[in-house]
Every structure is written in C-alpha cells, then in structure tokens.
Amino acid sequence: PYFDDAKMGYVQAPQDHRDWRGDRFKEMLNWEYAGFFDIGMCLRNEYDAIIQHGTMTLVRRDRMEEMGGWATWCITEDTELGLRLMEKGYGAMYSRERFGHGLTPDHFAGYKKQRFRWAYGAMQIMKAHAGKMLGNSTQLTFWQKYHFVAGWMPWFADALNLIFTWAGLAWLLAVIVPPLFGIKPVGLPPSEFILPTIGIFVFKLLYSFGLYFDRVRCTFRQSLGASLAGLALTYTVGRAVIYGLATSRLPFMRTPKMDERATLGMALGMARGEAVLAVLLWLGAIVLWLTNGQLDPEARLWSVFMVVQSLPFAAAVYVSMVNALEQMRHARTLFEPAPAPAIAPAAMQPAQ
C-alpha cells in the first residue's frame, strides 16, 4: 500500500537468513547483520533516509526507468539508485517484516569480501555524489544528507585505525632500533595519539551492547558474538575505504555461498593480514615494556595501548577459527555412520 503514494520510489525490507541455527559462526554473522536492519534502518526510516540495499526491495518501475536503471559503474548499484531517487525528491519506506530468508556466507573470507564490496561501493558513491551532498542542487533534505554521511563515518574511522596501526608500528621501530646501533632514538608519540583508537573501540562496545540490548531481539551471548563479528571486519573495512578513495573501478565480487570446506590452515589464511598485525602489535608491546617501560611510565602506557589496538585483529582470527571449527564439526557429523535402528524388546522374543 505504500506505493499508493506516487512519490514513493521504493520500499525496502530486511535481508534475513535461514541457515544460522546450530552454527556458531553463522549465528554471529546473522546477529551482526540484524543490528543494521533493526537499529540503523529503523532510525533512518524516521527521516526518509533509508539505504536501498537491494535484497528484498521493491522499486517503482517508472521511477527506475526515469533514472536510467542501475548504475553499472558502481558495485553497490542498489544504494546508488536509492540515493539518486532521493535527490529527485522521491521517498522511500522501510518495513521490518521479514519477507524472505537467504543464506549467510559460509566462510569468513566470503563475509570479508561482502563487507569490502559494501564499503568500497560506498566510497564510489561518496565521490560521485559529494557535490550534490554538500550543495543545494538536489531535493535532498538536511537529514537525508546527514544520515548518509553519518553512515560512512564509522568506516572512515576503521581506515584511520588501520593507518594509526601502521604508523604506530613504524614509530615503535624508530624508538627501539636506533639504540642498537648507538643512535639516539626518537621519542614516543604524544599520548593524545592514543585517543582516536581507544575512542573507536569504546564507541563500538557501547553501540553493540547498548543498542543491541534495546533494539535487537537476541541474547547477551548472541550480542557478544555480533560485536566480535563486527569488530573482526575493522581491517577489511579500513582497506576498502583506502582502496575506494584511491581507485574507482574494482570489479563486483560475488559473495560465495554453499561452500562448506574449511580447515584450521584455511582459517589462518582467511585472516592472515589481521594475524600478522596482531602478532606485530603483541611483540612490539612486549619489547617496549621490557626496554623503555622499565623506567618510562609513558612507554608502559603505549604497551597497553598496543595490546588494545590489536583486539580487532585478534577478533578476526578468532571469528575465522570459529568458522573453521564449526565446518569441521559439520563435516564429521555428515560422514559419521547413522546409528542402527533400535529394536523393541518384544520384537526380540521368539515367535509362539
């Protein structure tokens, strides 16, 4: 009935899943997705600023034809079309009703690939529509502009976190290595350098537990799993934002489904970038504590900070390991011989 209004461009419903029960990894993903659909989208609906995310959407055909169809240059063409419709003054509506249930990614690598595509596509949209978002040449309202920009900010924060991580490791080398060659080392960065990463980490915790408790119908354990799954994507989203700002034409990458092969070796491979960063941060924290930290309280503070900074990368390794262990468990269950049918005692009695 929303389409009775001629100004309604599209109606969007949640992207839900049916294959997560009985699998800890997929359960984590399911509830991580739910935060977006039951929190962010509901808030955006109040300001006619919802994101068209494609799955489970209905678009008014004449409006799509008016817009010239999907934008083939953008790998998140659904969101881009929704934004163009809003720029023309057409509205949108969000329904929390689940009209269909699809599949979650089977692998952590597929989960990462999907989120990379979303973040990279958002950067494509931002660059193409920046002038319209900042100017007054369209019919976008203030709140529509605000919610689109605000939705991208956490992804920019992940990119900054990745940059701070590499910068911190490089600075650590400049502190530790020169004394080995009799050269005066540089000083540690000011403590204010710590605040952005700690702020991002605390914000994610408050967001996950505060809003999930109020808006998402899941248990505390499930909200904790969702928080870990979201935290595990920090590295992936950060890379996608940096790539998206530097390039424009990465191809569309389909999210693989129905592939249930995983080993512990594959798990480490799916999170090797995050594993390397986590180990480097842990080693750096230990070395800094054992050298400069003996006399310098600020060095000890930096050691603790590096451990905190490693948590998103450690979360990625953990989620990937959970994925592999769950798939190995399912494989064992699949190939175990079926138990022999039970025979009723009466059937074992000799015939009279």
Side-chain angles (χ1 to χ4, degrees):
Y2 294 131
F3 285 113
D4 290 342
D5 181 357
K7 296 293 289 184
M8 189 62 59
Y10 62 93
V11 175
Q12 180 69 63
Q15 173 182 331
D16 212 336
H17 308 91
R18 66 176 185 268
D19 63 337
W20 57 271
R21 290 176 177 81
D23 186 305
R24 287 185 300 156
F25 169 72
K26 294 185 177 185
E27 182 181 57
M28 295 166 79
L29 269 56
N30 178 76
W31 291 112
E32 192 271 334
Y33 291 135
F36 173 74
F37 298 119
D38 291 338
I39 300 172
M41 291 290 276
C42 292
L43 174 62
R44 286 170 172 270
N45 190 53
E46 298 299 314
Y47 298 92
D48 194 17
I50 67 169
I51 292 175
Q52 185 181 26
H53 56 76
T55 306
M56 307 313 297
T57 189
L58 285 173
V59 188
R60 190 185 290 274
R61 177 172 175 169
D62 55 358
R63 298 297 173 237
M64 176 177 275
E65 292 173 347
E66 178 186 342
M67 295 295 106
W70 306 110
T72 55
W73 55 266
C74 183
I75 62 174
T76 49
E77 73 292 336
D78 37 23
T79 302
E80 198 276 340
L81 175 65
L83 180 56
R84 273 191 288 142
L85 285 165
M86 289 182 178
E87 289 171 351
K88 290 290 187 179
Y90 297 118
M93 189 62 67
Y94 181 65
S95 169
R96 287 186 68 183
E97 184 175 349
R98 271 59 174 170
F99 290 100
H101 297 76
L103 301 175
T104 55
D106 288 302
H107 287 159
F108 183 56
Y111 181 48
K112 290 171 58 177
K113 183 181 292 186
Q114 182 187 62
R115 196 58 54 95
F116 186 98
R117 182 177 75 242
W118 293 353
Y120 186 92
M123 296 304 103
Q124 288 181 306
I125 294 172
M126 186 198 70
K127 291 188 295 184
H129 291 260
K132 297 174 182 178
M133 299 291 287
L134 298 175
N136 296 315
S137 61
T138 71
Q139 297 185 51
L140 287 174
T141 66
F142 169 81
W143 287 111
Q144 286 173 332
K145 295 177 182 179
Y146 168 81
H147 281 287
F148 269 91
V149 173
W152 293 329
M153 286 299 103
W155 288 352
F156 278 105
D158 287 340
L160 286 175
N161 179 63
L162 194 56
I163 293 170
F164 289 154
T165 297
W166 285 113
L169 288 169
W171 205 314
L172 179 64
L173 288 175
V175 171
I176 295 174
V177 174
L180 301 177
F181 300 94
I183 304 172
K184 183 179 179 180
V186 301
L188 286 167
S191 300
E192 289 76 12
F193 192 74
I194 297 175
L195 295 178
T197 301
I198 297 296
I200 292 168
F201 184 70
V202 171
F203 170 78
K204 284 190 173 184
L205 286 180
L206 292 176
Y207 174 87
S208 296
F209 292 107
L211 292 179
Y212 265 71
F213 178 78
D214 185 55
R215 300 294 299 173
V216 183
R217 297 174 182 174
C218 63
T219 66
F220 175 79
R221 181 185 65 80
Q222 289 168 336
S223 67
L224 179 61
S227 178
L228 286 170
L231 198 62
L233 293 170
T234 299
Y235 176 77
T236 298
V237 171
R239 285 180 62 246
V241 169
I242 294 170
Y243 273 91
L245 293 175
T247 65
S248 298
R249 292 291 181 178
L250 281 186
F252 181 91
M253 298 169 288
R254 186 185 67 84
T255 304
K257 306 284 179 69
M258 301 299 292
D259 181 6
E260 298 189 352
R261 298 165 296 165
T263 64
L264 293 181
M266 289 175 62
L268 293 175
M270 289 187 288
R272 58 181 177 273
E274 296 91 330
V276 168
L277 282 175
V279 170
L280 288 176
L281 287 167
W282 292 339
L283 290 175
I286 292 170
V287 171
L288 187 61
W289 186 284
L290 295 179
T291 54
N292 301 45
Q294 299 297 319
L295 300 174
D296 187 357
E298 192 167 297
R300 294 196 291 272
L301 176 62
W302 267 92
S303 297
V304 173
F305 163 69
M306 293 178 76
V307 173
V308 173
Q309 199 173 21
S310 73
L311 294 179
F313 311 121
V317 177
Y318 171 77
V319 172
S320 185
M321 295 291 286
V322 169
N323 175 208
L325 291 172
E326 284 295 285
Q327 292 205 352
M328 292 166 64
R329 179 175 66 83
H330 292 322
R332 286 196 302 270
T333 303
L334 182 64
F335 291 105
E336 283 179 354
I343 302 175
M348 298 183 353
Q349 299 298 323
Q352 299 297 324

